[in-house]
Coordinates of all heavy atoms in Angstrom, one line a residue:
G1535 N 4.8 7.1 -13.7 CA 3.8 6.2 -14.0 C 4.2 4.7 -14.0 O 3.4 3.8 -14.2
G1536 N 5.5 4.5 -13.8 CA 6.0 3.1 -13.8 C 6.0 2.4 -15.1 O 5.9 3.1 -16.2
R1537 N 6.0 1.1 -15.1 CA 6.0 0.3 -16.3 C 5.3 -1.0 -16.0 O 5.9 -2.0 -15.8 CB 7.4 0.1 -16.8 CG 7.6 -0.6 -18.1 CD 9.0 -0.6 -18.6 NE 10.0 -1.0 -17.5 CZ 10.9 -0.1 -17.0 NH1 11.0 1.1 -17.5 NH2 11.7 -0.5 -16.1
R1538 N 4.0 -1.0 -16.0 CA 3.2 -2.2 -15.7 C 3.0 -3.1 -16.9 O 3.0 -2.7 -18.0 CB 1.8 -1.8 -15.2 CG 0.9 -1.2 -16.2 CD -0.5 -0.9 -15.6 NE -0.4 0.0 -14.5 CZ -1.2 0.0 -13.4 NH1 -2.1 -0.9 -13.3 NH2 -1.0 0.9 -12.5
Y1539 N 2.9 -4.4 -16.6 CA 2.7 -5.4 -17.6 C 1.5 -6.3 -17.1 O 1.6 -6.9 -16.1 CB 3.9 -6.3 -17.8 CG 5.1 -5.5 -18.4 CD1 6.2 -5.2 -17.7 CD2 5.0 -5.1 -19.8 CE1 7.3 -4.5 -18.3 CE2 6.1 -4.5 -20.4 CZ 7.2 -4.2 -19.6 OH 8.3 -3.5 -20.2
Q1540 N 0.5 -6.4 -17.9 CA -0.7 -7.1 -17.5 C -0.4 -8.6 -17.3 O -1.0 -9.2 -16.5 CB -1.8 -6.9 -18.6 CG -3.1 -7.5 -18.2 CD -3.7 -6.9 -16.8 OE1 -3.5 -5.7 -16.6 NE2 -4.3 -7.7 -16.0
W1541 N 0.6 -9.1 -18.1 CA 0.8 -10.5 -17.9 C 1.4 -10.9 -16.6 O 1.2 -12.0 -16.0 CB 1.8 -11.0 -19.1 CG 3.2 -10.6 -19.0 CD1 3.7 -9.4 -19.4 CD2 4.3 -11.3 -18.4 NE1 5.0 -9.3 -19.2 CE2 5.4 -10.5 -18.6 CE3 4.4 -12.5 -17.8 CZ2 6.7 -10.9 -18.1 CZ3 5.7 -12.9 -17.3 CH2 6.8 -12.1 -17.5
V1542 N 2.2 -9.9 -16.0 CA 2.7 -10.1 -14.6 C 1.6 -10.0 -13.6 O 1.5 -10.9 -12.7 CB 3.8 -9.1 -14.3 CG1 4.2 -9.2 -12.8 CG2 5.0 -9.3 -15.2
R1543 N 0.7 -9.1 -13.8 CA -0.4 -8.9 -12.9 C -1.4 -10.1 -13.0 O -2.2 -10.3 -12.1 CB -1.2 -7.6 -13.2 CG -0.3 -6.3 -12.9 CD -1.0 -5.1 -13.6 NE -2.3 -4.8 -13.1 CZ -2.6 -4.1 -12.0 NH1 -1.6 -3.6 -11.3 NH2 -3.9 -3.9 -11.6
S1544 N -1.3 -10.8 -14.1 CA -2.3 -11.9 -14.3 C -1.6 -13.3 -14.0 O -2.3 -14.3 -14.3 CB -2.8 -11.9 -15.7 OG -3.4 -10.7 -16.0
W1545 N -0.4 -13.3 -13.4 CA 0.2 -14.6 -13.1 C -0.8 -15.5 -12.2 O -1.5 -14.9 -11.3 CB 1.5 -14.4 -12.3 CG 2.6 -14.0 -13.1 CD1 2.7 -14.0 -14.5 CD2 3.9 -13.5 -12.6 NE1 3.9 -13.5 -14.9 CE2 4.7 -13.2 -13.8 CE3 4.4 -13.3 -11.4 CZ2 6.0 -12.7 -13.6 CZ3 5.7 -12.8 -11.2 CH2 6.5 -12.5 -12.4
S1546 N -0.8 -16.8 -12.5 CA -1.7 -17.7 -11.7 C -1.4 -17.7 -10.2 O -2.3 -17.9 -9.4 CB -1.5 -19.1 -12.3 OG -1.9 -19.2 -13.6
V1547 N -0.1 -17.4 -9.9 CA 0.2 -17.4 -8.4 C -0.6 -16.4 -7.6 O -0.9 -16.6 -6.5 CB 1.7 -17.1 -8.3 CG1 2.1 -15.7 -8.7 CG2 2.2 -17.4 -6.8
W1548 N -1.0 -15.3 -8.3 CA -1.7 -14.2 -7.6 C -3.2 -14.7 -7.3 O -3.8 -14.3 -6.3 CB -1.8 -12.9 -8.4 CG -0.4 -12.4 -8.7 CD1 0.0 -11.9 -9.9 CD2 0.7 -12.3 -7.9 NE1 1.3 -11.5 -9.9 CE2 1.8 -11.7 -8.6 CE3 0.9 -12.6 -6.5 CZ2 3.0 -11.5 -8.1 CZ3 2.2 -12.4 -6.0 CH2 3.2 -11.8 -6.7
K1549 N -3.7 -15.6 -8.1 CA -5.0 -16.2 -7.9 C -5.0 -17.0 -6.6 O -5.8 -16.9 -5.7 CB -5.4 -17.1 -9.0 CG -6.7 -17.8 -8.8 CD -7.1 -18.6 -10.1 CE -8.4 -19.4 -9.9 NZ -8.2 -20.5 -8.9
Y1550 N -3.9 -17.8 -6.4 CA -3.7 -18.6 -5.2 C -3.4 -17.7 -4.0 O -3.8 -18.0 -2.8 CB -2.6 -19.6 -5.4 CG -3.0 -20.6 -6.5 CD1 -2.2 -20.6 -7.6 CD2 -4.1 -21.5 -6.3 CE1 -2.5 -21.5 -8.7 CE2 -4.4 -22.4 -7.4 CZ -3.6 -22.4 -8.5 OH -3.9 -23.3 -9.5
F1551 N -2.7 -16.6 -4.2 CA -2.4 -15.6 -3.1 C -3.7 -15.0 -2.6 O -3.9 -15.0 -1.4 CB -1.5 -14.5 -3.7 CG -1.2 -13.4 -2.7 CD1 -0.3 -13.5 -1.7 CD2 -2.0 -12.2 -2.9 CE1 -0.1 -12.4 -0.8 CE2 -1.7 -11.1 -2.0 CZ -0.8 -11.3 -1.0
R1552 N -4.6 -14.6 -3.5 CA -5.9 -14.0 -3.1 C -6.7 -15.1 -2.4 O -7.4 -14.8 -1.4 CB -6.6 -13.5 -4.3 CG -5.9 -12.2 -4.9 CD -6.7 -11.8 -6.1 NE -8.1 -11.5 -5.8 CZ -8.6 -10.3 -5.4 NH1 -7.7 -9.3 -5.2 NH2 -9.8 -10.2 -5.1
E1553 N -6.7 -16.3 -2.9 CA -7.6 -17.3 -2.3 C -7.1 -17.8 -1.0 O -7.9 -18.4 -0.2 CB -7.7 -18.5 -3.3 CG -8.5 -18.1 -4.6 CD -8.6 -19.3 -5.6 OE1 -7.9 -20.3 -5.4 OE2 -9.4 -19.1 -6.5
Y1554 N -5.8 -17.7 -0.7 CA -5.2 -18.2 0.5 C -5.9 -17.6 1.8 O -6.3 -18.3 2.7 CB -3.7 -17.9 0.6 CG -3.1 -18.2 1.9 CD1 -2.7 -19.5 2.3 CD2 -2.8 -17.2 2.8 CE1 -2.1 -19.8 3.5 CE2 -2.3 -17.4 4.1 CZ -1.9 -18.7 4.4 OH -1.3 -19.0 5.6
F1555 N -6.2 -16.3 1.7 CA -6.7 -15.6 2.9 C -8.2 -15.9 3.2 O -8.5 -16.2 4.3 CB -6.4 -14.1 2.8 CG -5.0 -13.8 2.8 CD1 -4.3 -13.5 1.6 CD2 -4.2 -13.8 4.0 CE1 -2.9 -13.3 1.6 CE2 -2.9 -13.5 4.0 CZ -2.2 -13.3 2.7
P1556 N -9.1 -15.7 2.3 CA -9.0 -15.0 0.9 C -9.2 -13.5 1.0 O -9.6 -13.0 2.0 CB -10.2 -15.7 0.2 CG -11.3 -15.9 1.3 CD -10.5 -16.2 2.6
I1557 N -8.9 -12.9 -0.1 CA -9.0 -11.4 -0.3 C -10.2 -11.1 -1.1 O -10.4 -11.6 -2.2 CB -7.7 -10.8 -0.9 CG1 -6.5 -11.1 0.0 CG2 -7.9 -9.3 -1.2 CD1 -5.2 -10.6 -0.6
H1558 N -11.0 -10.1 -0.6 CA -12.2 -9.7 -1.3 C -12.2 -8.2 -1.5 O -11.7 -7.5 -0.6 CB -13.5 -10.1 -0.6 CG -13.6 -11.5 -0.2 ND1 -14.0 -12.5 -1.1 CD2 -13.3 -12.2 0.9 CE1 -14.0 -13.7 -0.6 NE2 -13.6 -13.5 0.7

Side-chain angles (χ1 to χ4, degrees):
R1537 186 171 43 246
R1538 70 177 59 212
Y1539 292 108
Q1540 188 57 40
W1541 71 274
V1542 174
R1543 294 168 58 88
S1544 302
W1545 283 349
S1546 296
V1547 67
W1548 303 135
K1549 175 177 178 289
Y1550 298 113
F1551 173 80
R1552 290 178 57 89
E1553 292 178 350
Y1554 172 80
F1555 297 98
I1557 296 175
H1558 305 278

